[in-house]
Amino acid sequence: MEYILIIIGAVFVNNIVLAHFLGICPFIGVSSKVSTSTGMSGAVMFVMTLATVVTYLIYKFILVPFEITFLQTISYILVIAALVQMVEIILKKVSPALYQALGIFLPLITTNCAVLGVALLTVQKDLNLLEGVVFAIANAIGFGLAIILFAGIREHLDLMGVPKGMQGAPVALITAGILALAFMGFAGLV
């Protein structure tokens, strides 16, 4: 039951993008097409889950025993950067089309504060390793849900007669705000 609450809380109630406003850069930058957003969601899920596991182990078995927890953020950033490089190499080899579609936004996962935020929240919430993995996967699903929904709406808006002054970034930002308001409806669910 506890894991279900973690999942519902991370995906809907405390969505990492729409409630915590972390990961806004890829949310706005990669959400023009559903296919690209889906690829980005998969890459973020992989990096977020793996980064949470590695950073948790580093925190518990290196930083705490040696009393160097002040290095937490910098060590987490190094781990995330290394994982993103690994994802970049794998995607370039396995799916060159997706690699090209993600373009500059793939290296931006390194600076995606949602990945760092989830790793830090796992320690801050004092979750164990399994709870941390579930928390990371649920947050990645929440990130993917938000970005894919947003991409679908933006694709639909491209087909609509949006006034010229509202095309592009203005209508995207208004839509993101309305989407965040819609997710506020889940508040109090858990």
Side-chain angles (χ1 to χ4, degrees):
M1 185 66 179
E2 189 174 325
Y3 293 107
I4 293 171
L5 292 177
I6 290 173
I7 292 169
I8 292 173
V11 173
F12 297 109
V13 179
N14 295 313
N15 186 289
I16 197 79
V17 177
L18 300 172
H20 290 286
F21 306 111
L22 296 174
I24 295 294
C25 180
F27 178 71
I28 298 292
V30 187
S31 60
S32 57
K33 292 182 180 176
V34 171
S35 59
T36 308
S37 299
T38 305
M40 183 68 165
S41 300
V44 167
M45 179 179 285
F46 178 77
V47 171
M48 193 176 281
T49 306
L50 208 54
T52 300
V53 171
V54 173
T55 56
Y56 179 86
L57 295 175
I58 287 173
Y59 183 80
K60 288 291 182 187
F61 297 110
I62 296 175
L63 298 179
V64 171
F66 292 105
E67 297 178 1
I68 50 173
T69 54
F70 60 90
L71 293 175
Q72 182 183 23
T73 305
I74 192 84
S75 62
Y76 284 15
I77 290 171
L78 290 174
V79 167
I80 292 167
L83 290 173
V84 169
Q85 289 298 314
M86 190 175 78
V87 168
E88 202 171 342
I89 291 169
I90 291 170
L91 271 184
K92 193 173 183 179
K93 193 77 168 174
V94 174
S95 177
L98 181 60
Y99 176 78
Q100 290 293 329
L102 291 176
I104 187 69
F105 295 105
L106 188 57
L108 283 179
I109 295 175
T110 305
T111 58
N112 186 347
C113 50
V115 177
L116 180 61
V118 168
L120 291 172
L121 281 171
T122 299
V123 171
Q124 191 179 42
K125 290 179 177 268
D126 200 26
L127 300 174
N128 63 37
L129 183 58
L130 185 58
E131 290 170 341
V133 168
V134 171
F135 183 69
I137 291 172
N139 272 296
I141 290 170
F143 177 85
L145 177 69
I147 196 169
I148 291 170
L149 276 175
F150 189 52
I153 293 170
R154 286 183 74 179
E155 277 187 0
H156 187 72
L157 284 173
D158 286 344
L159 302 173
M160 306 292 288
V162 177
K164 189 174 181 180
M166 292 295 293
Q167 292 177 353
V171 75
L173 293 174
I174 290 170
T175 305
I178 293 171
L179 196 57
L181 284 172
F183 269 70
M184 283 179 65
F186 294 116
L189 191 63
V190 288

